[in-house]
Amino acid sequence: MRFLALALATILLLAACASADEPDAAKVEVESPWARASAGQTAAGVVYIRLSNRAAEPDRLASLSTPVAEKASVHETKREGDMVSMRPVASLALPANETVALEPGGLHIMLMRLRAPLVEGEVFPMTLGFEKAPSVSIQVEVHALGASH
Ligand SMILES: [Cu+2]
């Protein structure tokens, strides 16, 4: 068992080295995507996600698409006193070697004109396009309506 674990660790290490051979290759890792279940007949949904730019060059999130909504775009939440408002972010900056977290209360992906309600426990596809990195297709998990993670 110990040998197997060691062999596996070696393979993983070799794989990591192989990808590190191309330090200039633009690459964005997309982690823990989830959405909130949509309330009743509401036509809007929200997706949270973590985007890690693994390249030495800055990149940008250039496009978002999903079959579940007519439009998907990044929003930021602004708090001024008691007023909370949202506004679209034209193209989200992804600084080199940094992770940008879209979390409740801050940045989020807004889904507009949902084609069907987002139901807890279901999963839907989404594709993210970047200025430099190759696009990434993910599966977004739908969590409870009031979920915070
Ligand atoms: Cu929004």
Side-chain angles (χ1 to χ4, degrees):
M1 210 52 197
R2 176 164 297 202
F3 171 75
L4 192 65
L6 190 66
L8 192 64
T10 309
I11 289 166
L12 289 174
L13 196 65
L14 288 173
C17 292
S19 59
D21 280 343
E22 305 172 57
D24 296 335
K27 184 177 195 289
V28 174
E29 273 175 20
V30 181
E31 295 162 297
S32 26
W34 65 278
R36 278 210 182 111
S38 60
Q41 293 303 304
T42 181
V46 63
V47 176
Y48 301 106
I49 206 165
R50 291 168 68 84
L51 301 168
S52 299
N53 181 1
R54 301 293 185 207
E57 293 286 319
D59 206 335
R60 281 181 175 277
L61 178 63
S63 69
L64 284 165
S65 66
T66 173
V68 302
E70 271 179 48
K71 190 167 184 252
S73 54
V74 175
H75 277 186
E76 68 179 337
T77 307
K78 281 266 172 199
R79 235 168 267 272
E80 282 165 50
D82 292 342
M83 294 287 289
V84 178
S85 60
M86 299 190 292
R87 64 171 196 199
V89 177
S91 79
L92 182 67
L94 302 170
N97 295 308
E98 274 187 39
T99 297
V100 175
L102 282 66
E103 296 170 323
L107 291 163
H108 54 278
I109 295 170
M110 204 84 206
L111 304 179
M112 262 85 74
R113 297 188 290 280
L114 288 174
R115 298 199 165 100
L118 302 179
V119 178
E120 184 179 356
E122 289 187 356
V123 158
F124 62 86
M126 180 178 266
T127 300
L128 298 91
F130 303 97
E131 226 168 58
K132 295 171 191 154
S135 60
V136 176
S137 290
I138 52 162
Q139 295 291 325
V140 181
E141 248 178 72
V142 181
H143 293 186
L145 180 57
S148 56
H149 61 272

